[in-house]
């Protein structure tokens, strides 16, 4: 058993005890490159999202997290890799494409940072670049209930996965000034329109 599988099993047990609900797992492709586009409100979002799908998910995470003495090593062992935010981090882009072109699953938070209000924010067009270069499908994911899950008592954690979106499905109409931004907006809108888990 890998460290990833062991950690995932422990967290899944914990989340079940907390009464988490996952909806739309059948929308997750069983194979091939996939980008999980996840809304972001808490440090726990990548753990919750990874535990919600049957496949191994590699996450792009801000480089500051990897400087933390213990957590940095844990993140690395779980397959996460650093990205320099606010820069065109070519190393992170190359690593992302390597994962996707190898048929893997990449977890992204297209908002770029956590939402202070909990509302889903505008998505960054870099997600579209990765989708186009790798021919990956994008699965929009809405996570709720993670912001205060260990600080204000056990609340209801819900995760909803939407239908996979492809570059062919998201062709921008002629005359659009910024094609990738337009496509990113469509992906974020699909995320917003996901129903709340029942």
């Amino acid at each position: 058993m890998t460290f990833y599988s062991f950690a995932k099993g422990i967290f899944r047990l914990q989340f079940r005890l907390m009464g988490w609900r996952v909806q739309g797992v059948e929308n997750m492709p069983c194979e091939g490159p996939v980008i999980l586009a996840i809304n972001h409100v808490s440090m726990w979002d990548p753990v919750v999202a990874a535990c919600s799908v049957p496949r191994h998910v590699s996450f792009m995470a801000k480089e500051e997290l990897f400087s933390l003495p213990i957590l940095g090593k844990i993140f690395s062992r779980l397959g996460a890799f650093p990205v320099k935010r606010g820069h065109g981090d070519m190393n992170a882009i190359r690593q992302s494409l390597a994962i996707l072109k190898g048929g893997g699953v990449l977890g992204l938070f297209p908002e770029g940072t956590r939402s202070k209000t909990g509302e889903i924010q505008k998505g960054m067009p870099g997600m579209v670049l990765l989708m186009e270069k790798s021919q990956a499908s994008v699965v929009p994911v809405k996570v709720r209930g993670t912001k205060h899950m260990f600080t204000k008592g056990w609340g209801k954690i819900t995760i909803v996965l939407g239908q996979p979106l492809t570059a062919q499905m998201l062709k921008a109409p002629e005359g659009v000034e910024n094609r990738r931004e337009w496509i990113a907006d469509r992906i974020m809108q699909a995320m917003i329109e996901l129903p709340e888990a029942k």
Side-chain angles (χ1 to χ4, degrees):
M1 177 182 288
T2 65
F3 179 73
Y4 182 95
S5 299
F6 174 76
K8 184 174 179 177
I10 294 295
F11 280 116
R12 282 179 66 89
L13 176 60
Q14 177 69 61
F15 295 151
R16 283 198 186 105
L17 291 173
M18 296 170 72
W20 77 329
R21 296 180 185 178
V22 182
Q23 196 168 303
V25 178
E26 67 277 6
N27 292 325
M28 180 70 184
C30 296
E31 57 184 21
V34 177
I35 296 172
L36 290 184
I38 311 156
N39 69 301
H40 200 14
V41 294
S42 164
M43 292 274 290
W44 286 101
D45 295 335
V47 179
V48 170
C51 288
S52 304
V53 298
R55 297 176 63 182
H56 186 289
V57 185
S58 297
F59 279 92
M60 184 188 293
K62 62 181 181 180
E63 66 173 351
E64 294 86 349
L65 294 176
F66 293 84
S67 63
L68 301 174
I70 298 175
L71 285 178
K73 291 182 180 179
I74 293 175
F75 290 141
S76 295
R77 290 195 65 184
L78 291 175
F81 58 95
V83 59
K84 295 179 182 178
R85 296 188 301 173
H87 301 79
D89 190 340
M90 292 308 298
N91 285 333
I93 292 173
R94 279 192 288 267
Q95 197 156 354
S96 298
L97 288 174
I99 291 166
L100 294 170
K101 289 183 177 180
V105 181
L106 178 69
L108 289 182
F109 298 102
E111 294 162 290
T113 189
R114 281 173 283 171
S115 170
K116 294 179 180 179
T117 64
E119 297 298 316
I120 295 173
Q121 310 296 308
K122 189 173 180 65
M124 302 176 74
M127 162 180 58
V128 181
L129 168 69
L130 295 174
M131 176 180 69
E132 293 174 341
K133 293 286 186 183
S134 65
Q135 295 301 302
S137 57
V138 176
V139 174
V141 181
K142 183 188 285 185
V143 178
R144 293 292 189 218
T146 57
K147 191 168 185 179
H148 303 294
M149 62 190 240
F150 286 117
T151 58
K152 294 187 178 180
W154 289 4
K156 184 172 73 171
I157 305 167
T158 63
I159 307 95
V160 180
L161 286 77
Q163 292 280 348
L165 304 170
T166 65
Q168 290 72 27
M169 296 166 62
L170 296 169
K171 289 184 178 178
E174 290 186 18
V176 169
E177 187 174 339
N178 190 321
R179 182 177 55 80
R180 284 179 178 153
E181 185 176 308
W182 185 92
I183 295 172
D185 288 345
R186 303 287 82 72
I187 294 171
M188 300 309 290
Q189 187 60 37
M191 186 189 297
I192 290 169
E193 292 175 359
L194 288 173
E196 300 299 326
K198 298 178 181 178

